[in-house]
Amino acid sequence: PPVAAPADVAALLRRREAAWNDPRALAALYAPDAVVQLAGNPGSGWARGPATIAAYLADGRRFARAYRLEPVRVTADARVAHVAGHLRAVGAPPDAPPGGWFDLTLARGPDGAWRIVAESPVPRRVPAQPTIDAAQLVAMLDSARIRRAVVLSGAFAFGGAMDLQGAADTPERRRARVRAENDWTAAQAARFPDRLVAFCAVNPLEPFAEAEVARCADARAFRGLKLHLDESRVDLGVPAHVERVRAVAAAANARALPLVVHVGNNRGADAAAHVRTFLDRVVGAAPDVPVQVAHLWGGGGYSEGALAAFAAAVAAGDPAARRLWFDVAEVGLMMQHAGPRAPALLAAAARHMRTIGLDRVLYGSDGGLIGHQTAPVAWAAFRDQVPLTDAELWRVARNVPPYLR
């Protein structure tokens, strides 16, 4: 059963909860030499230092919804404290099993404040994601009466936040894995050329990123490039990261490859500033190709700040926004995690979609992934939950992006 923590220790736990998926707020909670165990697996190693720890913990898919730290054991003296307990999703039923477990060691800093020096988050294990081949995907499309789909390579994950093997790999070995993943995706899409279109992917921070974009373009098996900035640990507040993404976007533009981008970087007060950086520096480097913002506001939990900034840029006629498209992949699923706030957030999302213009909004889903909705269920959730008129829904359903025409 849960136990009470001393007031100052409890205050740190509340700050840790409030910093969910906010890398800057998370970094402030850790001592300079702090370590965090990767994925709760002793064989996976450790992240060291506040910046690395914050990037790891703030990944939008690692903790996809807000959670509470519920202590079951607390010991503390004047200098050191130890807390162990359950991770519980905010809004979960009281009798639901915990989403995982945690173990924290705290120490008082020179200023007298508690900081985390060691942490072991242990998420509840889920089954491994099974392979989905082209035939299975086409069957999903048929069940949802969807005629064509874009298949996005998952190669961006190698060298990223959830790639536990990649941290120990050389760039050459990671590059081989990226190439194999991209080539597999292209081969699967080629089995149904009238139904499927492939996009390659790469982590833009990798030293071989531009070369992989060139290889994909030369293969003539891909219609575009997928970037996942959150998964690739890109911080749009770091100029060196921005320049790497900009270089990759420019490489795609030079080879006429449209972009689909999970922008991320949209938690907290910096959301609007990061949208501005994305528009000016990344979209600005790809002036000749469509740029599609994934998950409407850029991915992760709903971000009013990011979506409002995108909508405002479109409404103002911002030159960088004139070639933007927006997809609604997983909007219905993400809103399920919002609890009683969901209706208000869905209304806000619909309002911003109207500001953007429904002719720029594309239907999409991450259907087939474990924990995600299948294509028919995802469409039903979008249709039933987002307060759009039938005519507006029909418009979204019929929109076709330039790279599918």
Side-chain angles (χ1 to χ4, degrees), residues 199-235:
F199 272 43
C200 69
V202 70
N203 180 335
L205 300 186
E206 291 283 17
F208 54 79
E210 291 103 306
E212 180 62 11
V213 172
R215 189 187 76 89
C216 287
D218 291 344
R220 300 187 180 279
F222 301 94
R223 290 283 186 91
L225 175 68
K226 165 67 182 284
L227 298 178
H228 194 307
L229 304 191
D230 272 347
E231 179 60 38
S232 298
R233 295 179 176 172
V234 169
D235 184 344

Side-chain angles (χ1 to χ4, degrees), residues 139-146 363 365 367-368 373-384:
M140 292 182 192
L141 299 181
D142 289 343
S143 68
R145 295 193 295 175
I146 295 173
Y363 179 70
S365 80
Q373 298 161 322
T374 61
V377 173
W379 170 249
F382 178 74
R383 181 194 64 212
D384 297 341

Side-chain angles (χ1 to χ4, degrees), residues 15 120 124 127 146 198 247 296 300 313 322-323 327 335 358 372:
R15 290 175 61 201
S120 294
R124 181 178 289 277
I146 295 173
L296 192 59
R322 64 182 174 81
R323 55 193 175 276
D327 71 57
M335 290 301 189
L358 274 298
H372 293 238

Side-chain angles (χ1 to χ4, degrees), residues 238-320:
V238 176
H241 286 197
V242 174
E243 291 311 304
R244 289 296 302 131
V245 182
R246 178 176 173 82
V248 171
N253 184 75
R255 293 162 178 82
L257 291 176
L259 295 164
V260 172
V261 188
H262 180 117
V263 182
N265 287 265
N266 57 12
R267 311 307 304 164
D270 293 331
H274 286 162
V275 168
R276 188 70 261 163
T277 298
F278 175 73
L279 291 174
D280 291 343
R281 303 297 297 161
V282 179
V283 180
D288 306 313
V289 297
V291 178
Q292 182 174 322
V293 176
H295 309 292
L296 192 59
W297 50 82
Y302 178 70
S303 175
E304 172 67 20
L307 182 53
F310 279 122
V314 173
D318 189 318

